[in-house]
PDB file of all heavy atoms in Angstrom:
ATOM      1  N   LEU A  17    -165.742-145.103  50.130  1.00 95.00           N
ATOM      2  CA  LEU A  17    -165.958-143.624  50.006  1.00 95.00           C
ATOM      3  C   LEU A  17    -166.043-142.920  51.294  1.00 95.00           C
ATOM      4  O   LEU A  17    -165.556-141.771  51.396  1.00 95.00           O
ATOM      5  CB  LEU A  17    -167.159-143.363  49.150  1.00 95.00           C
ATOM      6  CG  LEU A  17    -167.182-143.707  47.698  1.00 95.00           C
ATOM      7  CD1 LEU A  17    -168.266-143.120  46.884  1.00 95.00           C
ATOM      8  CD2 LEU A  17    -165.883-143.291  47.045  1.00 95.00           C
ATOM      9  N   ALA A  18    -166.536-143.577  52.250  1.00 95.00           N
ATOM     10  CA  ALA A  18    -166.753-142.971  53.654  1.00 95.00           C
ATOM     11  C   ALA A  18    -165.375-142.542  54.242  1.00 95.00           C
ATOM     12  O   ALA A  18    -165.359-141.723  55.082  1.00 95.00           O
ATOM     13  CB  ALA A  18    -167.465-143.974  54.558  1.00 95.00           C
ATOM     14  N   GLN A  19    -164.293-143.300  53.786  1.00 96.00           N
ATOM     15  CA  GLN A  19    -163.008-143.027  54.322  1.00 96.00           C
ATOM     16  C   GLN A  19    -162.169-141.876  53.626  1.00 96.00           C
ATOM     17  O   GLN A  19    -161.171-141.544  53.996  1.00 96.00           O
ATOM     18  CB  GLN A  19    -162.166-144.298  54.392  1.00 96.00           C
ATOM     19  CG  GLN A  19    -162.775-145.270  55.362  1.00 96.00           C
ATOM     20  CD  GLN A  19    -162.191-146.694  55.182  1.00 96.00           C
ATOM     21  OE1 GLN A  19    -161.514-146.998  54.225  1.00 96.00           O
ATOM     22  NE2 GLN A  19    -162.387-147.510  56.172  1.00 96.00           N
ATOM     23  N   VAL A  20    -162.761-141.353  52.542  1.00 97.00           N
ATOM     24  CA  VAL A  20    -162.077-140.361  51.763  1.00 97.00           C
ATOM     25  C   VAL A  20    -162.028-139.038  52.567  1.00 97.00           C
ATOM     26  O   VAL A  20    -163.113-138.665  53.123  1.00 97.00           O
ATOM     27  CB  VAL A  20    -162.901-140.128  50.420  1.00 97.00           C
ATOM     28  CG1 VAL A  20    -162.373-138.895  49.703  1.00 97.00           C
ATOM     29  CG2 VAL A  20    -162.729-141.372  49.534  1.00 97.00           C
ATOM     30  N   PRO A  21    -160.856-138.465  52.683  1.00 95.00           N
ATOM     31  CA  PRO A  21    -160.828-137.214  53.516  1.00 95.00           C
ATOM     32  C   PRO A  21    -161.607-136.133  52.890  1.00 95.00           C
ATOM     33  O   PRO A  21    -161.672-135.917  51.695  1.00 95.00           O
ATOM     34  CB  PRO A  21    -159.310-136.869  53.538  1.00 95.00           C
ATOM     35  CG  PRO A  21    -158.682-137.654  52.455  1.00 95.00           C
ATOM     36  CD  PRO A  21    -159.627-138.839  52.118  1.00 95.00           C
ATOM     37  N   ASP A  22    -162.302-135.345  53.755  1.00 91.00           N
ATOM     38  CA  ASP A  22    -163.074-134.147  53.302  1.00 91.00           C
ATOM     39  C   ASP A  22    -162.711-132.999  54.185  1.00 91.00           C
ATOM     40  O   ASP A  22    -163.441-132.628  55.021  1.00 91.00           O
ATOM     41  CB  ASP A  22    -164.530-134.409  53.301  1.00 91.00           C
ATOM     42  CG  ASP A  22    -165.309-133.302  52.535  1.00 91.00           C
ATOM     43  OD1 ASP A  22    -164.634-132.480  51.917  1.00 91.00           O
ATOM     44  OD2 ASP A  22    -166.535-133.345  52.588  1.00 91.00           O
ATOM     45  N   ASP A  23    -161.445-132.396  53.832  1.00 94.00           N
ATOM     46  CA  ASP A  23    -161.001-131.227  54.568  1.00 94.00           C
ATOM     47  C   ASP A  23    -161.112-129.985  53.716  1.00 94.00           C
ATOM     48  O   ASP A  23    -160.467-129.044  54.095  1.00 94.00           O
ATOM     49  CB  ASP A  23    -159.575-131.464  55.094  1.00 94.00           C
ATOM     50  CG  ASP A  23    -158.676-131.927  53.974  1.00 94.00           C
ATOM     51  OD1 ASP A  23    -159.109-131.793  52.768  1.00 94.00           O
ATOM     52  OD2 ASP A  23    -157.520-132.373  54.203  1.00 94.00           O
ATOM     53  N   GLY A  24    -161.863-130.114  52.638  1.00 95.00           N
ATOM     54  CA  GLY A  24    -162.048-128.949  51.736  1.00 95.00           C
ATOM     55  C   GLY A  24    -160.943-128.715  50.724  1.00 95.00           C
ATOM     56  O   GLY A  24    -161.101-127.993  49.836  1.00 95.00           O
ATOM     57  N   LEU A  25    -159.838-129.586  50.825  1.00 97.00           N
ATOM     58  CA  LEU A  25    -158.840-129.390  49.757  1.00 97.00           C
ATOM     59  C   LEU A  25    -159.186-130.202  48.521  1.00 97.00           C
ATOM     60  O   LEU A  25    -159.787-131.222  48.573  1.00 97.00           O
ATOM     61  CB  LEU A  25    -157.461-129.966  50.362  1.00 97.00           C
ATOM     62  CG  LEU A  25    -156.885-129.258  51.516  1.00 97.00           C
ATOM     63  CD1 LEU A  25    -155.586-129.951  52.046  1.00 97.00           C
ATOM     64  CD2 LEU A  25    -156.568-127.762  51.191  1.00 97.00           C
ATOM     65  N   PRO A  26    -158.673-129.691  47.360  1.00 97.00           N
ATOM     66  CA  PRO A  26    -158.920-130.379  46.141  1.00 97.00           C
ATOM     67  C   PRO A  26    -158.068-131.689  46.006  1.00 97.00           C
ATOM     68  O   PRO A  26    -157.021-131.806  46.713  1.00 97.00           O
ATOM     69  CB  PRO A  26    -158.478-129.412  45.031  1.00 97.00           C
ATOM     70  CG  PRO A  26    -157.548-128.493  45.692  1.00 97.00           C
ATOM     71  CD  PRO A  26    -157.965-128.452  47.107  1.00 97.00           C
ATOM     72  N   HIS A  27    -158.482-132.671  45.226  1.00 98.00           N
ATOM     73  CA  HIS A  27    -157.835-133.936  44.994  1.00 98.00           C
ATOM     74  C   HIS A  27    -157.381-134.004  43.539  1.00 98.00           C
ATOM     75  O   HIS A  27    -158.116-133.645  42.642  1.00 98.00           O
ATOM     76  CB  HIS A  27    -158.687-135.130  45.246  1.00 98.00           C
ATOM     77  CG  HIS A  27    -159.335-135.168  46.637  1.00 98.00           C
ATOM     78  ND1 HIS A  27    -160.312-136.032  46.909  1.00 98.00           N
ATOM     79  CD2 HIS A  27    -159.155-134.457  47.713  1.00 98.00           C
ATOM     80  CE1 HIS A  27    -160.761-135.956  48.130  1.00 98.00           C
ATOM     81  NE2 HIS A  27    -160.002-134.921  48.677  1.00 98.00           N
ATOM     82  N   VAL A  28    -156.162-134.541  43.333  1.00 98.00           N
ATOM     83  CA  VAL A  28    -155.659-134.908  42.031  1.00 98.00           C
ATOM     84  C   VAL A  28    -155.252-136.378  42.073  1.00 98.00           C
ATOM     85  O   VAL A  28    -154.405-136.718  42.879  1.00 98.00           O
ATOM     86  CB  VAL A  28    -154.535-133.983  41.522  1.00 98.00           C
ATOM     87  CG1 VAL A  28    -153.991-134.572  40.243  1.00 98.00           C
ATOM     88  CG2 VAL A  28    -154.983-132.624  41.344  1.00 98.00           C
ATOM     89  N   ALA A  29    -155.861-137.264  41.230  1.00 98.00           N
ATOM     90  CA  ALA A  29    -155.594-138.706  41.358  1.00 98.00           C
ATOM     91  C   ALA A  29    -154.758-139.218  40.267  1.00 98.00           C
ATOM     92  O   ALA A  29    -154.731-138.655  39.170  1.00 98.00           O
ATOM     93  CB  ALA A  29    -156.996-139.436  41.325  1.00 98.00           C
ATOM     94  N   PHE A  30    -154.029-140.229  40.604  1.00 97.00           N
ATOM     95  CA  PHE A  30    -153.109-140.917  39.631  1.00 97.00           C
ATOM     96  C   PHE A  30    -153.614-142.272  39.326  1.00 97.00           C
ATOM     97  O   PHE A  30    -153.719-143.162  40.231  1.00 97.00           O
ATOM     98  CB  PHE A  30    -151.678-140.980  40.240  1.00 97.00           C
ATOM     99  CG  PHE A  30    -151.040-139.633  40.256  1.00 97.00           C
ATOM    100  CD1 PHE A  30    -151.526-138.790  41.247  1.00 97.00           C
ATOM    101  CD2 PHE A  30    -150.168-139.187  39.300  1.00 97.00           C
ATOM    102  CE1 PHE A  30    -150.943-137.496  41.264  1.00 97.00           C
ATOM    103  CE2 PHE A  30    -149.601-137.930  39.349  1.00 97.00           C
ATOM    104  CZ  PHE A  30    -150.036-137.058  40.345  1.00 97.00           C
ATOM    105  N   ALA A  31    -154.028-142.561  38.013  1.00 97.00           N
ATOM    106  CA  ALA A  31    -154.582-143.809  37.689  1.00 97.00           C
ATOM    107  C   ALA A  31    -153.774-144.436  36.542  1.00 97.00           C
ATOM    108  O   ALA A  31    -152.995-143.814  35.885  1.00 97.00           O
ATOM    109  CB  ALA A  31    -156.055-143.483  37.158  1.00 97.00           C
ATOM    110  N   GLY A  32    -154.013-145.733  36.379  1.00 96.00           N
ATOM    111  CA  GLY A  32    -153.341-146.447  35.293  1.00 96.00           C
ATOM    112  C   GLY A  32    -153.171-147.985  35.613  1.00 96.00           C
ATOM    113  O   GLY A  32    -153.593-148.313  36.731  1.00 96.00           O
ATOM    114  N   ARG A  33    -152.715-148.662  34.698  1.00 94.00           N
ATOM    115  CA  ARG A  33    -152.585-150.178  34.884  1.00 94.00           C
ATOM    116  C   ARG A  33    -151.638-150.475  36.021  1.00 94.00           C
ATOM    117  O   ARG A  33    -150.764-149.679  36.340  1.00 94.00           O
ATOM    118  CB  ARG A  33    -152.168-150.873  33.571  1.00 94.00           C
ATOM    119  CG  ARG A  33    -153.144-150.658  32.505  1.00 94.00           C
ATOM    120  CD  ARG A  33    -152.698-151.327  31.269  1.00 94.00           C
ATOM    121  NE  ARG A  33    -152.400-152.717  31.389  1.00 94.00           N
ATOM    122  CZ  ARG A  33    -151.584-153.328  30.670  1.00 94.00           C
ATOM    123  NH1 ARG A  33    -150.869-152.810  29.712  1.00 94.00           N
ATOM    124  NH2 ARG A  33    -151.406-154.657  30.874  1.00 94.00           N
TER     125      ARG A  33
END
Side-chain angles (χ1 to χ4, degrees):
L17 290 192
Q19 294 166 346
V20 168
D22 192 7
D23 52 11
L25 296 177
H27 305 170
V28 173
F30 291 75
R33 295 176 63 201

